């Protein structure tokens, strides 16, 4: 039995009862003969409460001190978890990100991990302890200041530690039973995925699936660390995310058939901006996206239609996070005369629906089936973009639930029963 | 203008408003040309809430993880305070005890400071920042684990940093205007003391005065750091505690007349144990106090009466913290047959009243006046113990307020007006 890294989100440790339940699960893994390293998020709403406090003393809390503040959250949960484990008769030690050797760059509030030097963790587990590590936080290489990795950073902490410690697996415990073929809150017949490749998981994560963050999966793929996403409430086998789909079941070795389609993701957090009447000549699109980039706005889908021959003008549409809509519009307005477009249209009543699966590379009918399913459901397609293993469309926000269900059924993803269960809130 | 260390207790930073008020006060000191280092406690009831959480996950939370938990409290307050200062247009950086170089021994929950290496603090203030340091916490020299200094530890942090940084003064901000000649909640006419010597302050602290802890004053005396105890609410001049009483007023140099009596302290936190019928022969008292010491119980006053010639038996009484009463009784019962005493009496309805002042060394009438005042007030004396600059008596707990007022009046300590004001709760 080797080393296991387990990560528990805020909803799993929301109160004393949750902490005690998680402690039992950790001790079980230890009793099974594993060395166990646990990464834990702040309890329930702690982070939001701290952000609220910060807002009361300063309208623009950010940077170094904001990170110092937020990292108090994991400090509380990890110490309590260590106490609860000791109370079950096992030895545990908690470590801050800094003590655990999580070294980051100096970009406060959204730092990137640049190295992990887990010497103290290795010593602690070799002495027989269970090591509890604060998720979401690190220490900057320059200046030795406390940093945070941004929302979802605890998952990345777990995968990075698993890589540095050469763990067998990184178990991400959450409030659902695993990764589903669609959002179980929308599709009652969504099925839990037993195994999914890193590549498909990356596409799902960037298409609106919230179970794992893109950054975390990217890190796991780079260091080839299998991730096991599972529920801290049910104890069932969850979803394995890895390069190979062999030998990942706790029930023994078995090979799961790779599905043509892994799942259907949707995302209602984006808005669409259309730049109307752009002169169709070289450099115009570049000027538009340079203005957007200079405003530090991240864009997602981009579509440019063929220009009308009569006018020589074209429209360029792109999607972006709603939260950055204002910034993008302002940046574009400033360049209107230089670029010479007619007008801007802003639309935040859109949804993106994505079909993900490596199988579509070798199954030519996928796109047709996808569009037919939407058409049969009476859903209009506004934008289309594709990658090798993903097709995404933009529709009206009102249509999203019906569209996801229709596509899910059309690709034979529906389970025979309503199996999906959601246990709690959402972690970070 | 030199360097000032300011310490703010939990009641001064209990909420966002408190933090903003304290931030203004800190910025004022900076504007006056001082370099400013601030030591801050956890907000209001934070520590108690964390202790309560710990109790919910484990009945015996202690040691390393308990310290990890509690230190989250100062992390929150110091980060918020730094944000509030930045919001006033000044630069501030917060530092944990570990980052500030507060090195302790490895005794978790009540560590002692063994060194302070404030290199990062020095750099920060030399760069023009206000440095905010977490009180109450440090890092162990061996093992680099997070430690706490026990209740009241923030005051000690402040004095230790002031010594290491060679500060002009250590200002302890609290919720009263300074050190008073008696507890203002008991004696309405108690006067604020303008200046008091380290020695008298040490006696007051060990006799029940709660404004400064003994350990903090002891540290200040050893390194000769003047302490200025003052209110974070009123902004008035408070009480200077130092070796010399010259040049301590912000209004300019002046010498305050040393009073014969500094003040009257009282303490209702102790109980009295009487060991009845102890054979009056060598080694008996030693055996009793060895049993107490082995149980790690701290005792305060000890009195042994002359034995009755007829029986050869004597009684030995001592006082100790009520919280340790059970432990002491248990330890003594176990040795009863070996020592051969008759019985134990436990009495927790007592109060200790102490008169403190270096002047009593050269004023022979002090003891007589003290006892006469108690007698006139109808207060019975049960035990007496004295040091060179202190007289303490034990009375019934019911009599304590009347006794303190009577003694306060008898030594001419009453002010002409009811000047004492208490602003908030109690800090730590």
């Amino acid at each position: 039995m080797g080393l296991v890294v387990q990560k528990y989100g805020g909803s799993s440790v929301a109160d004393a009862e949750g902490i005690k339940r998680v402690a039992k699960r950790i001790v079980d893994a230890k009793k099974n003969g594993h060395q166990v390293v646990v990464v834990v998020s702040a309890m329930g709403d702690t982070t939001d409460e701290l952000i609220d406090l910060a807002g009361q003393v300063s309208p623009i809390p950010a940077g170094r001190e904001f990170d110092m503040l937020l990292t108090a959250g994991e400090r509380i949960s990890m110490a309590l978890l260590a106490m609860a484990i000791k109370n079950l008769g096992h030895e545990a030690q908690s470590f801050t990100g800094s003590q655990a050797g999580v070294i980051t760059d100096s970009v406060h509030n959204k730092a990137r991990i640049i190295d992990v030097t887990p010497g103290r963790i290795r010593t602690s587990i070799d002495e027989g302890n269970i090591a509890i590590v604060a998720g979401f936080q690190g220490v900057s290489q320059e200046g030795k200041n406390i940093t945070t990795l941004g929302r979802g950073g605890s998952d990345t902490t777990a995968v990075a530690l698993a890589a540095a410690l050469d763990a067998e697996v990184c178990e991400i415990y959450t409030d659902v039973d695993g990764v589903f073929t669609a959002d179980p809150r929308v599709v009652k017949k969504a099925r839990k995925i037993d195994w999914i490749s890193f590549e498909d998981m990356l596409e799902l994560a960037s298409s609106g699936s919230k179970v794992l963050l893109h950054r975390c999966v990217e890190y796991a793929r780079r260091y080839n660390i299998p991730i096991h996403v599972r529920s801290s409430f049910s104890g069932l086998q969850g979803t394995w995310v890895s390069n190979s789909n062999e030998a990942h079941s706790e029930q023994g070795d078995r090979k799961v058939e790779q599905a043509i389609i892994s799942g259907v993701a949707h995302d209602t957090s984006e808005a669409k901006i259309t730049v109307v009447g752009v002169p169709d000549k070289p450099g115009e699109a570049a000027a538009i996206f340079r203005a957007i980039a200079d405003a530090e706005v991240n864009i997602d889908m981009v579509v440019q239609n063929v220009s009308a021959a009569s006018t020589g003008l074209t429209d360029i549409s792109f999607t972006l996070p709603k939260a950055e809509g204002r910034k993008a519009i302002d940046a574009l307005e400033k360049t209107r005369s230089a670029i010479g477009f007619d007008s801007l249209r802003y639309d935040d009543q859109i949804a993106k629906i994505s079909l993900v699966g490596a199988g579509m590379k070798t199954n030519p009918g996928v796109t047709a089936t996808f569009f037919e399913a939407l058409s049969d459901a009476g859903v209009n397609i506004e934008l289309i973009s594709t990658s090798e293993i993903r097709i995404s469309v933009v529709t009206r926000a009102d249509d999203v639930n019906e569209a996801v269900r229709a596509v899910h059924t059309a690709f034979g993803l529906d389970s025979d029963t309503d199996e999906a269960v959601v246990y709690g809130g959402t972690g970070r």
Side-chain angles (χ1 to χ4, degrees), chain A residues 197-377:
Chain A
S197 67
F198 283 131
E199 288 70 24
D200 279 17
M201 192 65 234
L202 282 172
E203 289 286 1
L204 283 179
S206 56
S207 301
S209 169
K210 295 188 176 57
V211 185
L212 289 178
L213 283 195
H214 190 277
R215 185 163 55 144
C216 154
V217 182
E218 181 64 51
Y219 208 107
R221 181 173 67 164
R222 194 184 325 150
Y223 292 97
N224 195 20
I225 299 294
I227 297 178
H228 186 188
V229 185
R230 59 197 306 193
S231 165
S232 71
F233 295 80
S234 75
L236 298 173
Q237 276 282 307
T239 301
W240 286 87
V241 187
S242 69
N243 259 333
S244 147
N245 68 349
E246 286 184 67
H248 283 321
S249 165
E250 279 172 14
Q251 282 88 46
D253 293 0
R254 59 175 180 153
K255 193 170 169 84
V256 182
E257 189 80 22
Q258 169 142 21
I260 294 172
I261 299 301
S262 288
V264 186
H266 71 275
D267 188 352
T268 53
S269 71
E270 296 194 342
K272 180 178 69 171
I273 289 177
T274 303
V275 188
V276 181
V278 181
D280 191 4
K281 56 186 188 190
E284 290 297 303
I288 287 171
F289 291 108
R290 169 55 52 203
I292 296 293
D294 288 348
E296 296 193 342
V297 170
N298 292 306
I299 60 172
D300 179 19
M301 294 167 71
V302 179
V303 175
Q304 176 176 352
N305 290 335
V306 177
S307 64
S310 58
T311 61
L313 296 178
T314 186
D315 298 343
I316 294 177
S317 295
F318 60 91
T319 64
L320 76 174
K322 281 179 189 168
E324 303 193 343
R326 183 77 266 158
K327 215 162 40 162
I329 293 286
D330 288 349
L332 286 173
E333 282 293 358
K334 277 189 208 143
T335 59
R336 182 206 283 245
S337 58
I339 298 175
F341 56 83
D342 281 348
S343 61
L344 294 173
R345 279 192 218 133
Y346 180 75
D347 180 359
D348 63 5
Q349 292 303 307
I350 64 160
K352 184 174 73 166
I353 296 151
S354 303
L355 188 68
V356 171
M360 69 175 66
K361 283 189 284 194
T362 50
N363 286 267
V366 168
T367 307
T369 306
F370 185 34
F371 291 177
E372 281 161 15
L374 291 172
S375 167
D376 290 350

Side-chain angles (χ1 to χ4, degrees), chain A residues 406-427:
Chain A
V407 173
H408 197 265
T409 303
F411 282 93
L413 296 173
D414 289 357
S415 71
D416 300 335
T417 56
D418 297 353
E419 68 170 272
V421 185
V422 180
Y423 298 91
T426 52

